[in-house]
Amino acid sequence: MASGLAITSENVQYNGRMTMFVVLSCMMAAMGGVIFGYDIGISGGVTSMEPFLKKFFPEVYRKMKQDAKISNYCKFDSQLLTSFTSSLYVAGLFASFFASPVTRAFGRKPSILIGGAAFLAGAALGGAAVNVYMIIFGRVLLGIGVGFANQSVPLYLSEMAPPRYRGAFNNGFQFSIGIGALSANLINYGTEKIKEGWGWRISLAMAAFPASILTIGALFLPDTPSSLIQRTDDHEKAKHLLQRVRGIQDVQTELDDLIKASSISRTIEHPFSNIIQRKYRPQLVMAIALPFFQQVTGINVIAFYAPVLFRTIGLKESASLMTAVVTGVVGTISTFISMLLVDKFGRRALFLFGGAQMLVSQIMIGAILAAQLGDHGGVDKGYAYLVLFLICVYVAGFGWSWGPLGWLVPSEIFPLEIRSAGQSIVVAVNFVFTFIVAQTFLAMLCHFKSGIFFFFGGWVVVMTAFVHLFLPETKNIPIEKMDVVWREHWFWKTIVGDCDEDIKV
C-alpha cells in the first residue's frame, strides 16, 4: 500500500499509511450503509406495486385504478401508506438515543452488531407479513437496526481512517447507501414481473442478505483506537492496535493526542448535558443544521417515492421501477466521484457546487410539471424522459455533496468527550425530518402539485448560503485537533474564543 504522512499539528506529524487492515474493516462496517440504502430503495418500489397495494392498502389501490376524478397528484395520498415508509424513522429516532450509551460504554462494534441483528429480524417479519400490522412492526425493527447502525458506523469510519483519507472513507458510508438503494431498485424491477403477485415478499425479505453480512462481520471487527482508550485506558493495547491500523511502529504522536482526548472525555459524565455548553456551540449547531438541511433538499422525495412520482406523470408500473434503477445508478456513481474529490477539493466546494446543481434542476422540473401535467392524464413521453434526466442531474448533485457530506462532516467535528452524544443528535435530527418528509410528502404533492419542487428548491438556497457563511473547511485536519477550525472562523471565534494553538496543513 502507498505510504504517506498525514497532517502537521503543533509542529509534529501523524505518521501512517493506508493499510489493508483498515480498508477491510471499514468495508465491513460500511455494510451498515447498505442496509439503510436497501430499505430506502425498497420501500418506494413496493408501494408502487399493485399486488402490495391491493393486499395492504386497498383504498389507495382503488383510487389509483378506479377513481378517474382523483387528481394525478393525489392518487397515492394516504397516511396509512406513508406510515409504512415513515414508521422506520420513528423507531430509528428512539433507537439512536439508546445506541449512544451503548456506543460510548461498550464501543462502536456492539452497536453495529445490534443494528445488524435487529434489521435481520425486521426483514424476516416483513417478508412473511400477512397484515398491515406485521408489515409496520417489521418496519419498526428495521428502524431499530438502522438507528444503531447509523449512530455507530460513521464514527467507526472516521476514527479508523487516516486523517488525509478520512473524507473518502466516510463518504464510503453514503456510497454504501447508494449501493443498497440501487440493489433494492434492481430487485424491485425484477420481482414486479412475478405474475403470481408475491414478488414484493422477495423484495422485503432480501434485506436479510446485507443484514446477515453486517451481523456476522461485526463479530470480527476490531474496535477503534479512540474507543479502546476511552473505555479501557489500556494504553499499551491501544498502541498495538494503532500500530496495526496505521501500518507503522511510530504512532506515539497520534497516541498521545488520543490519550489526551480520552482524559478529557472521562471528566464528562453527562455528554448530552455538556454538549449544550458554549464551547461546543458550533458542533451542536452543525449536528442539528446539517442533517435537517440534508432532508429538506427533497432527496427522499426521489428516494422513497420515485416510482410513485413517475406513475403520477403517466409511466406504467414497470417503467416507473426502471426509472428508480436509473436514478440509483446515477446516485451511486456520483457518490463514488465524491469519494475521489472530497479530500482534494474539500467539503465546502462540493457543498456549494452540488447545491447550485440541485437548485437549477429542481426549478426546471417544477416548471415542466407546472406547464405539462394537469390533474388528469399524463405528460408526453418526451417530457417524461426530460423530467427523468433532470432528476438524474439533481440526484448527481446530491450524490457528491449533501448525501455523503451530511454524514461526513458531523462525524469528524465532535471532540471525543461528546462524540457519541453528538452523533446521536445527528441521527435523531436526520430521522425526525426524514419521518416528517416521508409522512407528509404525498399530502404535500396533492396540495402543492408541481410547486413541491419549488418548495424544496427554496430550502436548497438557504442551506447553500448557510454552508458558505458558517461551515469552515475540515479537510486533512486530524479529528482530535478539529477545534481549531472554529477558533479561526470569522463567526464561531466570537463564540468559542481565540485560538490557542495552531494546526498547519
Side-chain angles (χ1 to χ4, degrees):
M1 306 293 290
S3 63
L5 296 176
I7 306 303
T8 304
S9 175
E10 297 179 332
N11 298 318
V12 293
Q13 293 180 320
Y14 286 180
N15 298 309
R17 60 188 177 89
M18 183 77 75
T19 62
M20 187 59 65
F21 179 73
V22 169
V23 172
L24 293 177
S25 297
C26 289
M27 285 177 62
M28 184 57 65
M31 287 301 294
V34 174
I35 66 173
F36 188 29
Y38 187 90
D39 177 78
I40 290 173
I42 217 70
S43 59
V46 297
T47 52
S48 73
M49 292 183 184
E50 294 181 7
F52 180 82
L53 292 174
K54 189 174 182 180
K55 182 174 182 63
F56 296 109
F57 307 97
E59 183 64 22
V60 177
Y61 178 78
R62 182 191 63 78
K63 286 195 297 183
M64 183 182 69
K65 297 295 289 184
Q66 299 171 7
D67 197 338
K69 296 180 181 179
I70 297 292
S71 167
N72 279 321
Y73 294 100
C74 300
K75 288 181 177 179
F76 292 89
D77 183 15
S78 164
Q79 290 302 298
L80 185 60
L81 178 60
T82 51
S83 295
F84 166 75
T85 297
S86 61
S87 56
L88 179 145
Y89 299 96
V90 177
L93 166 64
F94 290 103
S96 65
F97 287 109
F98 285 103
S100 176
V102 172
T103 302
R104 179 181 171 88
F106 301 104
R108 287 53 171 146
K109 176 178 173 177
S111 285
I112 296 173
L113 180 61
I114 293 171
F119 200 90
L120 184 60
L125 190 60
V130 295
N131 57 52
V132 72
Y133 302 106
M134 286 183 68
I135 206 83
I136 291 180
F137 183 62
R139 299 283 296 172
V140 169
L141 289 175
L142 295 177
I144 294 172
V146 170
F148 271 85
N150 284 15
Q151 202 277 342
S152 52
V153 169
L155 292 184
Y156 188 93
L157 296 175
S158 285
E159 290 178 347
M160 288 290 280
R164 66 182 299 185
Y165 300 115
R166 189 175 61 247
F169 269 78
N170 202 285
N171 279 13
F173 181 68
Q174 180 67 29
F175 181 70
S176 299
I177 293 176
I179 292 292
L182 176 59
S183 301
N185 291 331
L186 287 168
I187 289 171
N188 279 338
Y189 182 69
T191 59
E192 179 270 332
K193 299 181 182 301
I194 296 176
K195 294 181 179 179
E196 290 79 5
W198 49 266
W200 59 268
R201 291 191 182 277
I202 297 177
S203 294
L204 296 178
M206 281 295 291
F209 180 70
S212 298
I213 296 176
L214 180 66
T215 305
I216 296 172
L219 297 173
F220 301 96
L221 282 178
D223 206 346
T224 69
S226 296
S227 178
L228 184 62
I229 291 175
Q230 183 185 34
R231 291 184 300 104
T232 68
D233 207 27
D234 188 338
H235 297 176
E236 193 62 31
K237 186 176 181 181
K239 182 177 182 179
H240 288 313
L241 177 59
L242 195 59
Q243 288 172 335
R244 189 178 181 193
V245 167
R246 298 292 178 245
I248 58 169
Q249 294 299 307
D250 182 14
V251 294
Q252 193 61 46
T253 300
E254 185 172 3
L255 181 65
D256 289 342
D257 282 340
L258 293 178
I259 293 171
K260 180 180 177 181
S262 179
S263 65
I264 296 173
S265 173
R266 290 174 185 273
T267 67
I268 305 297
E269 295 182 2
H270 306 289
F272 280 105
S273 60
N274 278 275
I275 200 172
I276 64 175
Q277 293 180 13
R278 184 182 180 91
K279 65 180 178 178
Y280 301 129
R281 192 66 47 79
Q283 292 95 328
L284 179 61
V285 169
M286 294 303 163
I288 296 171
L290 293 182
F292 165 73
F293 285 138
Q294 187 186 52
Q295 294 312 306
V296 294
T297 57
I299 186 61
N300 282 332
V301 171
I302 307 302
F304 294 150
Y305 299 118
V308 170
L309 184 63
F310 281 106
R311 294 211 71 177
T312 295
I313 65 175
L315 295 181
K316 299 298 183 183
E317 182 177 348
S318 181
S320 67
L321 290 171
M322 190 63 212
T323 61
V325 174
V326 173
T327 57
V329 170
V330 171
T332 303
I333 293 174
S334 60
T335 303
F336 181 74
I337 293 172
S338 178
M339 293 173 64
L340 302 178
L341 300 180
V342 66
D343 289 313
K344 180 178 181 180
F345 294 102
R347 285 62 162 152
R348 281 170 50 86
L350 294 184
F351 267 130
L352 297 176
F353 181 80
Q357 182 175 331
M358 287 190 291
L359 176 62
V360 171
S361 56
Q362 284 172 313
I363 291 173
M364 293 181 68
I365 293 168
I368 291 172
L369 293 184
Q372 297 295 322
L373 182 63
D375 284 328
H376 304 286
V379 300
D380 292 340
K381 186 171 290 188
Y383 282 110
Y385 288 117
L386 178 57
V387 169
L388 172 61
F389 170 76
L390 290 171
I391 285 178
C392 288
V393 172
Y394 165 81
V395 169
F398 180 85
W400 50 56
S401 63
W402 280 93
L405 302 184
W407 292 106
L408 165 62
V409 173
S411 74
E412 65 184 1
I413 62 174
F414 298 114
L416 182 61
E417 63 268 22
I418 59 166
R419 192 169 296 159
S420 62
Q423 186 65 18
S424 287
I425 292 173
V426 171
V427 174
V429 173
N430 188 289
F431 281 169
V432 165
F433 288 99
T434 301
F435 167 75
I436 292 172
V437 170
Q439 190 67 30
T440 61
F441 168 66
L442 293 178
M444 290 172 65
L445 180 64
C446 181
H447 291 90
F448 286 14
K449 301 183 179 180
S450 58
I452 191 75
F453 290 95
F454 300 118
F455 171 79
F456 287 117
W459 279 111
V460 171
V461 173
V462 173
M463 58 208 283
T464 303
F466 175 87
V467 166
H468 177 68
L469 293 173
F470 299 112
L471 183 67
E473 183 56 66
T474 56
K475 73 169 183 176
N476 292 343
I477 298 175
I479 196 170
E480 306 302 344
K481 296 292 184 180
M482 195 63 70
D483 63 322
V484 74
V485 303
W486 312 111
R487 298 175 184 272
E488 294 180 345
H489 188 267
W490 72 271
F491 176 77
W492 295 118
K493 69 182 180 181
T494 65
I495 306 294
V496 300
D498 295 328
C499 181
D500 297 321
E501 57 181 311
D502 296 321
I503 292 181
K504 299 177 182 179
V505 179

